[in-house]
């Protein structure tokens, strides 16, 4: 099985330091939805793994998060793509959970549910914590320069073997080639 794991904010949709708190604020990055469709059509199972501490912080509720994800699913589906599942960590950074990236718990849970080793699975993100989680889980870290990606690249100290692409469209092109 071919699997790819994507971060959400900054990879699929525009990010905000004030959090994405509603479906109206959820806006896809140009080319990202088409990239997911390309991956789907190339035989990949696409899974999203995202930290969503806005839940614990009280910035939005579960119904609102579901509405944002419903918007994302519908937009991808309209282009012939599919997102198999969305995994999320609702905890704040100080919660000490195992699922919040940079911890690998969420990625390991995806591997367990899909019964797949992560060694050949690309985990695409825009922050150092995405890449650290990928590395800790034994997956392939892939940095995109959208969202906080350019800043992440500039700060350096990327996990060994990190691939870098301009955006999700470029990463999808490389994966599906």
């Amino acid at each position: 099985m071919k699997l790819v794991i994507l971060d959400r904010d900054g990879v699929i949709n525009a990010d905000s330091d004030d959090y994405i708190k509603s479906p109206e604020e959820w806006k896809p990055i140009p080319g990202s939805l088409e990239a997911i469709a390309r991956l789907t059509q190339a035989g990949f199972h696409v899974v999203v793994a995202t930290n969503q501490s806005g839940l614990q912080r009280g910035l939005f509720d579960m119904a609102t998060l579901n509405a944002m994800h419903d918007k994302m699913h519908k937009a991808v589906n309209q282009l012939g793509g599919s997102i198999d599942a969305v995994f999320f960590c609702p905890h704040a950074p100080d919660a000490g959970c195992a699922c919040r990236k940079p911890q690998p718990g969420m990625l390991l849970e995806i591997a367990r549910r899909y019964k797949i080793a992560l060694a050949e699975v690309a985990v695409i993100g825009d922050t150092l914590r995405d890449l650290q989680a990928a590395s800790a889980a034994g997956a392939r870290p892939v940095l995109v320069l959208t969202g906080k990606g350019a800043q992440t690249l500039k700060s350096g100290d990327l996990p060994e073997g990190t691939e870098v692409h301009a955006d999700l469209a470029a990463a999808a092109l490389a994966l599906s080639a």
Side-chain angles (χ1 to χ4, degrees), residues 3-7 11 101-102 107 118-145 152-153 157-165 168 171 174-175:
L3 177 72
V4 62
I5 301 172
L6 309 178
D7 178 48
V11 175
K101 296 180 283 182
L107 302 180
L118 293 176
E120 298 302 316
V121 174
V123 176
I124 302 175
D126 69 315
T127 66
L128 185 58
R129 70 177 166 257
D130 296 323
L131 305 174
Q132 290 169 330
S135 185
R140 291 173 43 204
V142 178
L143 176 67
V144 291
L145 301 180
T152 301
L153 181 62
D157 206 25
L158 303 180
E160 187 176 330
T162 298
E163 299 171 36
V164 180
H165 296 283
L168 184 54
L175 284 171

